[in-house]
Amino acid sequence: MTNITPEKTPSPSQPYKLPYKDLIVWQKSIEFASNVIDHAENLASNRKHFRLVEQLEAAATSIPMNIAEGKGRHSTKELKHYLMIARGSLFETMTLLEIFQQKSWIPEKDFLQLTQQAIEISKLITAFHRNLRVES
């Protein structure tokens, strides 16, 4: 008979905290996604570009979602995989924002601010990924 130990049940004095919430990279990715959505809602275009806006929002929100999903997996190898998916979503987001900026749908100063956030997140993802050791 296999002895399976259930996860500890949180006590009222110490509620369970989801492990990804402590990750700075996840916290910064949530902030970035929220900022991107704010900009998407205020595009300076006389047409509504629903498909592009939906793609932008999906890519931006995919960053913290993949970090959280990877953290919830049972192996370091899987976490590393999801971190690279998150990084890809970050680059997809920035590519769309680059197009929006070239079309003058978002101000250049806002684009530069989002770019600085993206660079920081990219560095955090890369460092986190590099520092994880995969068990053989």
Side-chain angles (χ1 to χ4, degrees):
M1 177 177 223
T2 306
N3 184 10
I4 300 175
T5 307
E7 290 189 31
K8 288 185 178 179
T9 305
S11 69
S13 63
Q14 291 188 328
Y16 181 76
K17 187 173 184 182
L18 297 168
Y20 61 84
K21 289 192 166 206
D22 289 331
L23 297 173
I24 300 295
V25 66
W26 179 83
Q27 294 167 10
K28 290 189 178 287
S29 296
I30 286 286
E31 181 182 344
F32 176 73
S34 180
N35 289 342
V36 168
I37 291 169
D38 289 345
H39 284 86
E41 291 174 348
N42 298 305
L43 288 183
S45 173
N46 54 2
R47 284 183 45 218
K48 297 295 177 199
H49 303 274
F50 295 112
R51 176 68 182 102
L52 290 174
V53 170
E54 286 176 359
Q55 185 67 30
L56 177 66
E57 291 174 340
T61 57
S62 180
I63 303 161
M65 289 191 303
N66 276 292
I67 293 167
E69 184 169 355
K71 187 66 176 169
R73 296 297 176 140
H74 291 288
S75 75
T76 303
K77 183 178 178 181
E78 286 180 295
L79 172 55
K80 289 178 75 113
H81 174 74
Y82 278 93
L83 288 172
M84 288 300 96
I85 293 171
R87 190 169 185 265
S89 294
L90 176 65
F91 290 1
E92 179 182 0
T93 301
M94 289 313 300
T95 298
L96 282 161
L97 287 170
E98 181 85 31
I99 293 166
F100 287 16
Q101 195 273 324
Q102 287 185 11
K103 301 296 280 174
S104 299
W105 296 346
I106 62 170
E108 184 172 0
K109 79 172 184 55
D110 294 346
F111 174 75
L112 293 174
Q113 178 188 19
L114 291 168
T115 299
Q116 287 307 308
Q117 282 184 284
I119 290 168
E120 181 182 16
I121 292 166
S122 178
K123 288 177 180 179
L124 288 168
I125 290 171
T126 300
F128 188 21
H129 184 273
R130 186 176 295 132
N131 289 323
L132 291 170
R133 302 285 178 240
V134 177
E135 306 84 28
S136 13

mmCIF file of all heavy atoms in Angstrom, residues 40-69:
data_model
loop_
_atom_site.group_PDB
_atom_site.id
_atom_site.type_symbol
_atom_site.label_atom_id
_atom_site.label_comp_id
_atom_site.label_asym_id
_atom_site.label_seq_id
_atom_site.Cartn_x
_atom_site.Cartn_y
_atom_site.Cartn_z
ATOM 1 N N ALA A 40 -4.330 49.286 -24.387
ATOM 2 C CA ALA A 40 -5.163 48.711 -25.450
ATOM 3 C C ALA A 40 -6.567 49.313 -25.440
ATOM 4 O O ALA A 40 -7.182 49.477 -26.492
ATOM 5 C CB ALA A 40 -5.245 47.195 -25.293
ATOM 6 N N GLU A 41 -7.048 49.665 -24.261
ATOM 7 C CA GLU A 41 -8.379 50.252 -24.149
ATOM 8 C C GLU A 41 -8.422 51.691 -24.640
ATOM 9 O O GLU A 41 -9.494 52.228 -24.866
ATOM 10 C CB GLU A 41 -8.857 50.184 -22.695
ATOM 11 C CG GLU A 41 -9.150 48.768 -22.232
ATOM 12 C CD GLU A 41 -9.475 48.668 -20.758
ATOM 13 O OE1 GLU A 41 -9.268 49.655 -20.008
ATOM 14 O OE2 GLU A 41 -9.929 47.587 -20.346
ATOM 15 N N ASN A 42 -7.257 52.313 -24.815
ATOM 16 C CA ASN A 42 -7.199 53.723 -25.200
ATOM 17 C C ASN A 42 -6.413 53.951 -26.483
ATOM 18 O O ASN A 42 -5.706 54.953 -26.615
ATOM 19 C CB ASN A 42 -6.566 54.539 -24.060
ATOM 20 C CG ASN A 42 -7.392 54.473 -22.804
ATOM 21 O OD1 ASN A 42 -8.570 54.787 -22.814
ATOM 22 N ND2 ASN A 42 -6.782 54.042 -21.720
ATOM 23 N N LEU A 43 -6.529 53.045 -27.432
ATOM 24 C CA LEU A 43 -5.804 53.206 -28.695
ATOM 25 C C LEU A 43 -6.254 54.471 -29.414
ATOM 26 O O LEU A 43 -7.446 54.764 -29.497
ATOM 27 C CB LEU A 43 -6.041 52.011 -29.622
ATOM 28 C CG LEU A 43 -5.382 50.700 -29.261
ATOM 29 C CD1 LEU A 43 -5.684 49.667 -30.339
ATOM 30 C CD2 LEU A 43 -3.895 50.849 -29.071
ATOM 31 N N ALA A 44 -5.281 55.175 -29.953
ATOM 32 C CA ALA A 44 -5.564 56.409 -30.693
ATOM 33 C C ALA A 44 -5.807 56.078 -32.163
ATOM 34 O O ALA A 44 -5.046 56.451 -33.038
ATOM 35 C CB ALA A 44 -4.404 57.386 -30.542
ATOM 36 N N SER A 45 -6.874 55.343 -32.411
ATOM 37 C CA SER A 45 -7.230 54.956 -33.775
ATOM 38 C C SER A 45 -8.720 55.177 -33.960
ATOM 39 O O SER A 45 -9.506 54.944 -33.056
ATOM 40 C CB SER A 45 -6.887 53.480 -34.011
ATOM 41 O OG SER A 45 -7.378 53.057 -35.261
ATOM 42 N N ASN A 46 -9.095 55.632 -35.152
ATOM 43 C CA ASN A 46 -10.523 55.849 -35.396
ATOM 44 C C ASN A 46 -11.245 54.546 -35.730
ATOM 45 O O ASN A 46 -12.464 54.527 -35.806
ATOM 46 C CB ASN A 46 -10.733 56.901 -36.503
ATOM 47 C CG ASN A 46 -9.993 56.566 -37.780
ATOM 48 O OD1 ASN A 46 -9.347 55.528 -37.878
ATOM 49 N ND2 ASN A 46 -10.080 57.447 -38.747
ATOM 50 N N ARG A 47 -10.509 53.474 -35.928
ATOM 51 C CA ARG A 47 -11.101 52.147 -36.132
ATOM 52 C C ARG A 47 -10.844 51.303 -34.899
ATOM 53 O O ARG A 47 -9.846 51.480 -34.221
ATOM 54 C CB ARG A 47 -10.446 51.445 -37.328
ATOM 55 C CG ARG A 47 -10.900 51.962 -38.658
ATOM 56 C CD ARG A 47 -10.288 51.189 -39.821
ATOM 57 N NE ARG A 47 -10.326 49.747 -39.634
ATOM 58 C CZ ARG A 47 -9.346 48.922 -40.006
ATOM 59 N NH1 ARG A 47 -8.257 49.385 -40.567
ATOM 60 N NH2 ARG A 47 -9.456 47.629 -39.812
ATOM 61 N N LYS A 48 -11.728 50.408 -34.653
ATOM 62 C CA LYS A 48 -11.513 49.459 -33.560
ATOM 63 C C LYS A 48 -10.862 48.218 -34.163
ATOM 64 O O LYS A 48 -11.418 47.579 -35.032
ATOM 65 C CB LYS A 48 -12.833 49.085 -32.873
ATOM 66 C CG LYS A 48 -13.512 50.272 -32.221
ATOM 67 C CD LYS A 48 -12.677 50.813 -31.098
ATOM 68 C CE LYS A 48 -13.312 52.040 -30.481
ATOM 69 N NZ LYS A 48 -12.399 52.834 -29.727
ATOM 70 N N HIS A 49 -9.679 47.917 -33.712
ATOM 71 C CA HIS A 49 -8.911 46.795 -34.233
ATOM 72 C C HIS A 49 -9.062 45.621 -33.268
ATOM 73 O O HIS A 49 -8.112 45.238 -32.581
ATOM 74 C CB HIS A 49 -7.448 47.208 -34.407
ATOM 75 C CG HIS A 49 -7.296 48.388 -35.296
ATOM 76 N ND1 HIS A 49 -7.212 48.273 -36.664
ATOM 77 C CD2 HIS A 49 -7.238 49.706 -35.035
ATOM 78 C CE1 HIS A 49 -7.088 49.474 -37.197
ATOM 79 N NE2 HIS A 49 -7.110 50.364 -36.225
ATOM 80 N N PHE A 50 -10.271 45.071 -33.247
ATOM 81 C CA PHE A 50 -10.616 44.085 -32.235
ATOM 82 C C PHE A 50 -9.683 42.880 -32.236
ATOM 83 O O PHE A 50 -9.233 42.447 -31.186
ATOM 84 C CB PHE A 50 -12.065 43.618 -32.398
ATOM 85 C CG PHE A 50 -13.056 44.717 -32.164
ATOM 86 C CD1 PHE A 50 -13.817 45.221 -33.206
ATOM 87 C CD2 PHE A 50 -13.216 45.265 -30.895
ATOM 88 C CE1 PHE A 50 -14.730 46.241 -32.988
ATOM 89 C CE2 PHE A 50 -14.127 46.289 -30.662
ATOM 90 C CZ PHE A 50 -14.885 46.772 -31.718
ATOM 91 N N ARG A 51 -9.379 42.351 -33.420
ATOM 92 C CA ARG A 51 -8.532 41.157 -33.488
ATOM 93 C C ARG A 51 -7.134 41.444 -32.943
ATOM 94 O O ARG A 51 -6.581 40.658 -32.185
ATOM 95 C CB ARG A 51 -8.471 40.646 -34.938
ATOM 96 C CG ARG A 51 -7.551 39.482 -35.156
ATOM 97 C CD ARG A 51 -8.073 38.214 -34.454
ATOM 98 N NE ARG A 51 -7.145 37.125 -34.640
ATOM 99 C CZ ARG A 51 -6.286 36.709 -33.711
ATOM 100 N NH1 ARG A 51 -6.236 37.274 -32.539
ATOM 101 N NH2 ARG A 51 -5.479 35.706 -33.950
ATOM 102 N N LEU A 52 -6.563 42.574 -33.324
ATOM 103 C CA LEU A 52 -5.221 42.918 -32.843
ATOM 104 C C LEU A 52 -5.215 43.204 -31.338
ATOM 105 O O LEU A 52 -4.296 42.791 -30.627
ATOM 106 C CB LEU A 52 -4.671 44.123 -33.610
ATOM 107 C CG LEU A 52 -4.310 43.865 -35.067
ATOM 108 C CD1 LEU A 52 -3.928 45.172 -35.749
ATOM 109 C CD2 LEU A 52 -3.184 42.857 -35.172
ATOM 110 N N VAL A 53 -6.244 43.884 -30.871
ATOM 111 C CA VAL A 53 -6.337 44.188 -29.436
ATOM 112 C C VAL A 53 -6.507 42.897 -28.641
ATOM 113 O O VAL A 53 -5.863 42.707 -27.608
ATOM 114 C CB VAL A 53 -7.480 45.187 -29.149
ATOM 115 C CG1 VAL A 53 -7.741 45.314 -27.661
ATOM 116 C CG2 VAL A 53 -7.150 46.545 -29.756
ATOM 117 N N GLU A 54 -7.349 42.003 -29.124
ATOM 118 C CA GLU A 54 -7.531 40.725 -28.434
ATOM 119 C C GLU A 54 -6.228 39.932 -28.409
ATOM 120 O O GLU A 54 -5.884 39.315 -27.392
ATOM 121 C CB GLU A 54 -8.626 39.894 -29.118
ATOM 122 C CG GLU A 54 -10.023 40.415 -28.857
ATOM 123 C CD GLU A 54 -11.093 39.648 -29.626
ATOM 124 O OE1 GLU A 54 -10.756 38.718 -30.385
ATOM 125 O OE2 GLU A 54 -12.270 39.993 -29.470
ATOM 126 N N GLN A 55 -5.487 39.956 -29.514
ATOM 127 C CA GLN A 55 -4.209 39.249 -29.561
ATOM 128 C C GLN A 55 -3.211 39.867 -28.583
ATOM 129 O O GLN A 55 -2.486 39.161 -27.892
ATOM 130 C CB GLN A 55 -3.642 39.277 -30.981
ATOM 131 C CG GLN A 55 -2.375 38.467 -31.153
ATOM 132 C CD GLN A 55 -2.610 36.980 -30.983
ATOM 133 O OE1 GLN A 55 -3.682 36.463 -31.269
ATOM 134 N NE2 GLN A 55 -1.604 36.286 -30.494
ATOM 135 N N LEU A 56 -3.193 41.196 -28.515
ATOM 136 C CA LEU A 56 -2.307 41.895 -27.587
ATOM 137 C C LEU A 56 -2.634 41.526 -26.142
ATOM 138 O O LEU A 56 -1.739 41.203 -25.351
ATOM 139 C CB LEU A 56 -2.414 43.414 -27.789
ATOM 140 C CG LEU A 56 -1.589 44.276 -26.834
ATOM 141 C CD1 LEU A 56 -0.099 44.054 -27.057
ATOM 142 C CD2 LEU A 56 -1.954 45.742 -27.011
ATOM 143 N N GLU A 57 -3.903 41.574 -25.804
ATOM 144 C CA GLU A 57 -4.314 41.251 -24.435
ATOM 145 C C GLU A 57 -4.026 39.790 -24.102
ATOM 146 O O GLU A 57 -3.586 39.478 -22.993
ATOM 147 C CB GLU A 57 -5.787 41.586 -24.235
ATOM 148 C CG GLU A 57 -6.055 43.080 -24.247
ATOM 149 C CD GLU A 57 -7.526 43.447 -24.194
ATOM 150 O OE1 GLU A 57 -8.383 42.585 -24.519
ATOM 151 O OE2 GLU A 57 -7.826 44.598 -23.834
ATOM 152 N N ALA A 58 -4.254 38.899 -25.068
ATOM 153 C CA ALA A 58 -3.980 37.475 -24.835
ATOM 154 C C ALA A 58 -2.490 37.240 -24.615
ATOM 155 O O ALA A 58 -2.097 36.499 -23.699
ATOM 156 C CB ALA A 58 -4.486 36.640 -26.009
ATOM 157 N N ALA A 59 -1.650 37.868 -25.426
ATOM 158 C CA ALA A 59 -0.206 37.688 -25.283
ATOM 159 C C ALA A 59 0.292 38.256 -23.956
ATOM 160 O O ALA A 59 1.082 37.613 -23.253
ATOM 161 C CB ALA A 59 0.520 38.349 -26.456
ATOM 162 N N ALA A 60 -0.184 39.437 -23.598
ATOM 163 C CA ALA A 60 0.267 40.083 -22.351
ATOM 164 C C ALA A 60 -0.153 39.284 -21.120
ATOM 165 O O ALA A 60 0.641 39.116 -20.186
ATOM 166 C CB ALA A 60 -0.274 41.513 -22.276
ATOM 167 N N THR A 61 -1.375 38.797 -21.112
ATOM 168 C CA THR A 61 -1.840 38.038 -19.942
ATOM 169 C C THR A 61 -1.240 36.641 -19.910
ATOM 170 O O THR A 61 -1.148 36.025 -18.845
ATOM 171 C CB THR A 61 -3.381 37.952 -19.895
ATOM 172 O OG1 THR A 61 -3.867 37.372 -21.106
ATOM 173 C CG2 THR A 61 -3.994 39.334 -19.688
ATOM 174 N N SER A 62 -0.786 36.150 -21.053
ATOM 175 C CA SER A 62 -0.147 34.835 -21.111
ATOM 176 C C SER A 62 1.173 34.805 -20.357
ATOM 177 O O SER A 62 1.593 33.751 -19.867
ATOM 178 C CB SER A 62 0.076 34.455 -22.579
ATOM 179 O OG SER A 62 0.692 33.210 -22.691
ATOM 180 N N ILE A 63 1.817 35.951 -20.215
ATOM 181 C CA ILE A 63 3.121 35.996 -19.533
ATOM 182 C C ILE A 63 2.979 35.540 -18.075
ATOM 183 O O ILE A 63 3.576 34.526 -17.687
ATOM 184 C CB ILE A 63 3.758 37.397 -19.645
ATOM 185 C CG1 ILE A 63 3.915 37.804 -21.111
ATOM 186 C CG2 ILE A 63 5.105 37.428 -18.914
ATOM 187 C CD1 ILE A 63 4.104 39.299 -21.322
ATOM 188 N N PRO A 64 2.196 36.242 -17.245
ATOM 189 C CA PRO A 64 2.092 35.786 -15.850
ATOM 190 C C PRO A 64 1.359 34.442 -15.721
ATOM 191 O O PRO A 64 1.648 33.664 -14.801
ATOM 192 C CB PRO A 64 1.323 36.911 -15.150
ATOM 193 C CG PRO A 64 0.574 37.605 -16.233
ATOM 194 C CD PRO A 64 1.442 37.484 -17.462
ATOM 195 N N MET A 65 0.444 34.161 -16.642
ATOM 196 C CA MET A 65 -0.271 32.880 -16.554
ATOM 197 C C MET A 65 0.682 31.704 -16.757
ATOM 198 O O MET A 65 0.588 30.692 -16.054
ATOM 199 C CB MET A 65 -1.416 32.828 -17.572
ATOM 200 C CG MET A 65 -2.566 33.747 -17.202
ATOM 201 S SD MET A 65 -4.076 33.525 -18.180
ATOM 202 C CE MET A 65 -3.521 33.761 -19.841
ATOM 203 N N ASN A 66 1.609 31.816 -17.696
ATOM 204 C CA ASN A 66 2.558 30.732 -17.922
ATOM 205 C C ASN A 66 3.579 30.616 -16.796
ATOM 206 O O ASN A 66 4.002 29.513 -16.449
ATOM 207 C CB ASN A 66 3.252 30.896 -19.278
ATOM 208 C CG ASN A 66 2.403 30.329 -20.381
ATOM 209 O OD1 ASN A 66 2.200 29.130 -20.452
ATOM 210 N ND2 ASN A 66 1.880 31.199 -21.226
ATOM 211 N N ILE A 67 3.966 31.735 -16.214
ATOM 212 C CA ILE A 67 4.863 31.677 -15.054
ATOM 213 C C ILE A 67 4.168 30.937 -13.909
ATOM 214 O O ILE A 67 4.744 30.045 -13.283
ATOM 215 C CB ILE A 67 5.307 33.090 -14.632
ATOM 216 C CG1 ILE A 67 6.192 33.714 -15.723
ATOM 217 C CG2 ILE A 67 6.029 33.052 -13.284
ATOM 218 C CD1 ILE A 67 6.436 35.203 -15.559
ATOM 219 N N ALA A 68 2.908 31.283 -13.660
ATOM 220 C CA ALA A 68 2.149 30.626 -12.591
ATOM 221 C C ALA A 68 1.941 29.144 -12.898
ATOM 222 O O ALA A 68 2.114 28.291 -12.018
ATOM 223 C CB ALA A 68 0.798 31.321 -12.408
ATOM 224 N N GLU A 69 1.595 28.840 -14.145
ATOM 225 C CA GLU A 69 1.373 27.437 -14.501
ATOM 226 C C GLU A 69 2.652 26.627 -14.335
ATOM 227 O O GLU A 69 2.634 25.517 -13.801
ATOM 228 C CB GLU A 69 0.850 27.306 -15.928
ATOM 229 C CG GLU A 69 0.513 25.872 -16.286
ATOM 230 C CD GLU A 69 -0.246 25.712 -17.581
ATOM 231 O OE1 GLU A 69 -0.622 26.718 -18.212
ATOM 232 O OE2 GLU A 69 -0.466 24.544 -17.967
#
